[in-house]
Amino acid sequence: MTKPLLKVEGLKKYFPVKKGALGRIKGHVKAVDGVSFDVYPGETLGIVGESGCGKSTTGRMIMRLLEPTDGRIEFDGKELTALGAEDMRKMRRDVQMVFQDPFASLNPRHTVGKILEEPLIVHGMKNAAERKKKVREFLEIVGLSEYHAARYPHQFSGGQRQRIGIARALMTNPKLIIADEPVSALDVSIQSQVLNLMQDLQRYFGLTYIFIAHDLGVVRHISDRVGVMYLGRIVELSDSESLYAKPLHPYTQALLSAVPVPDPGFEREQIVLEGDIPSPANPPSGCPFHTRCPFRMDVCMTDVPPLQETEPGHSVACHLYTEETAGNDNKKLVTEGSI
Ligand SMILES: Nc1ncnc2c1ncn2[C@@H]1O[C@H](COP(=O)(O)OP(=O)(O)OP(=O)(O)O)[C@@H](O)[C@H]1O
Ligand SMILES: [Mg+2]
């Protein structure tokens, strides 16, 4: 069996909340609270969830832009916290990020040529002439033109700027790209162009993607597998087909019910969740979703449900599916075809 390119285990990030003039620590924002998943070479893992559930924090820890509070990250068979300086440099080349807002992430005072050349200079790759050649080549690869190298970011449209952001991420020949809501800021008409480009690049370069998004609609076509996050945890992790055909977690069912159905003959009842997302500084006891769950049982208020595989390739963290509580009548409400 193929080995995962990335292995994340029990990853946590607690941000201290400070109060008063002395800056005493008053508590913690549990932004990521025990997340585990594998990403296999060449696949796309979608990570989905509402604002504030810890998607970007997870991505930033994998990038080593943030130090995890706890947990392990293994990339290409190596534990990241144990890497020496040389291995760390190589890893920084191998893992790149594409951001939501390409305008904020591109230096407005640099030409596109300089922006694209920079990662090569940082990593000591190629001489000046080779770097310029590679810049021209990659502008073409992402659907822009050589002459764009002399222009500045503000001279481009949003979609073109994201193409520049993607080209920049590709310059160091990475293996893994973490795309944090790469199309959320773009017009719907432009979104699919950028998604198609990303898929073409994935095939061409054999890239592996972690694709972060707010809603299940955007990640549907690009993801091989999808992880659904809620309040710092993964509540469901599955291959895409199974997730969209048979969402198990009540939260996934609610998210999916909000995605427009392309087939007009097929109606899906929209599930509107009661209440707001609780604060990650003060998460609910037991299952983090119990305060909003239409199928809440007593056990949900006290015990955290573990992420368990219910069928091959489909895992869910929900007491409706755990051994002891599986006999509950509610279960039949959430089987296939219920929404
Ligand atoms: N540096 C920080 N210090 C304190 N709290 C933080 C910090 N960064 C993020 N958080 C908090 O951690 C939680 C998770 O944030 P994160 O940005 O990972 O969410 P997200 O899922 O990416 O949300 P969005 O969809 O809005 O981008 C939020 O409550 C956020 O306010
Ligand atoms: Mg985010």
Side-chain angles (χ1 to χ4, degrees):
M1 208 181 137
T2 17
K3 283 207 193 112
L5 177 64
L6 178 77
K7 205 170 172 53
V8 169
E9 260 176 42
L11 199 60
K12 291 186 184 174
K13 183 70 195 180
Y14 292 179
F15 292 108
V17 183
K18 292 181 181 156
K19 187 89 189 267
L22 298 176
R24 238 177 312 161
I25 294 175
K26 174 177 139 269
H28 288 92
V29 174
K30 297 180 174 178
V32 176
D33 200 11
V35 157
S36 305
F37 57 82
D38 293 341
V39 188
Y40 290 89
E43 77 164 342
T44 298
L45 174 73
I47 295 189
V48 174
E50 285 166 284
S51 187
C53 71
K55 305 179 298 291
S56 296
T57 305
T58 302
R60 292 165 65 89
M61 284 192 280
I62 297 166
M63 285 295 295
R64 304 305 283 172
L65 295 170
L66 275 177
E67 193 63 34
T69 306
D70 197 11
R72 285 166 47 86
I73 304 170
E74 209 179 284
F75 179 76
D76 227 357
K78 289 185 182 140
E79 163 70 36
L80 291 194
T81 46
L83 290 186
E86 183 51 34
D87 278 339
M88 188 55 116
R89 263 197 19 183
K90 187 172 171 316
M91 182 262 161
R92 288 203 189 281
R93 251 181 6 217
D94 284 346
V95 185
Q96 292 290 326
M97 203 151 181
V98 174
F99 298 92
Q100 173 175 350
D101 182 355
F103 203 43
S105 65
L106 303 176
N107 188 330
R109 279 189 284 275
H110 287 175
T111 61
V112 166
K114 186 160 184 201
I115 289 169
L116 295 188
E117 201 183 344
E118 198 184 334
L120 296 174
I121 296 173
V122 168
H123 291 286
M125 294 165 87
K126 304 183 182 290
N127 64 38
E130 288 167 343
R131 288 197 299 265
K132 298 268 183 306
K133 181 163 172 280
K134 185 156 184 174
V135 167
R136 290 197 296 270
E137 187 189 341
F138 274 69
L139 279 170
E140 302 253 349
I141 284 176
V142 298
L144 296 168
S145 302
E146 286 185 15
Y147 65 84
H148 285 134
R151 298 200 177 163
Y152 291 85
H154 75 266
Q155 295 174 290
F156 293 87
S157 68
Q160 286 176 320
R161 279 201 289 264
Q162 195 55 295
R163 288 173 192 268
I164 298 165
I166 291 168
R168 180 180 56 180
L170 291 175
M171 292 308 281
T172 57
N173 308 326
K175 293 181 179 161
L176 174 67
I177 293 202
I178 301 176
D180 191 354
E181 309 218 28
V183 299
S184 305
L186 304 177
D187 287 349
V188 176
S189 57
I190 309 293
Q191 286 187 356
S192 55
Q193 291 175 17
V194 174
L195 289 174
N196 287 341
L197 170 68
M198 288 186 66
Q199 279 183 304
D200 290 346
L201 294 169
Q202 179 169 44
R203 259 175 256 129
Y204 189 70
F205 292 108
L207 296 166
T208 306
Y209 288 155
I210 293 180
F211 193 102
I212 296 172
H214 259 88
D215 72 280
L216 280 162
V218 171
V219 297
R220 179 165 198 155
H221 295 291
I222 200 165
S223 304
D224 300 292
R225 290 187 304 131
V226 176
V228 178
M229 281 187 78
Y230 188 80
L231 268 185
R233 296 170 194 266
I234 290 187
V235 296
E236 187 160 1
L237 182 62
S238 167
D239 62 274
S240 297
E241 211 174 307
S242 173
L243 187 91
Y244 288 92
K246 192 181 169 186
L248 295 176
H249 200 284
Y251 179 61
T252 315
Q253 295 175 349
L255 278 187
L256 203 56
S257 78
V259 177
V261 185
D263 175 5
F266 180 78
E267 291 270 326
R268 192 190 266 146
E269 193 187 334
Q270 175 142 10
I271 304 172
V272 180
L273 293 174
E274 44 176 292
D276 294 325
I277 312 183
S279 161
N282 187 19
S285 61
C287 171
F289 187 60
H290 87 250
T291 53
R292 301 169 79 194
C293 184
F295 308 116
R296 180 175 52 233
M297 301 176 283
D298 286 348
V299 63
C300 307
M301 291 177 246
T302 51
D303 298 7
V304 180
L307 189 66
Q308 281 178 334
E309 200 166 55
T310 53
E311 45 196 271
H314 198 150
S315 303
V316 63
C318 175
H319 288 301
L320 291 171
Y321 307 93
T322 52
E323 282 283 307
E324 313 82 69
T325 46
N328 191 290
D329 279 352
N330 283 336
K331 194 176 179 193
K332 60 175 175 290
L333 296 174
V334 287
T335 50
E336 193 167 11
S338 67
I339 58 169

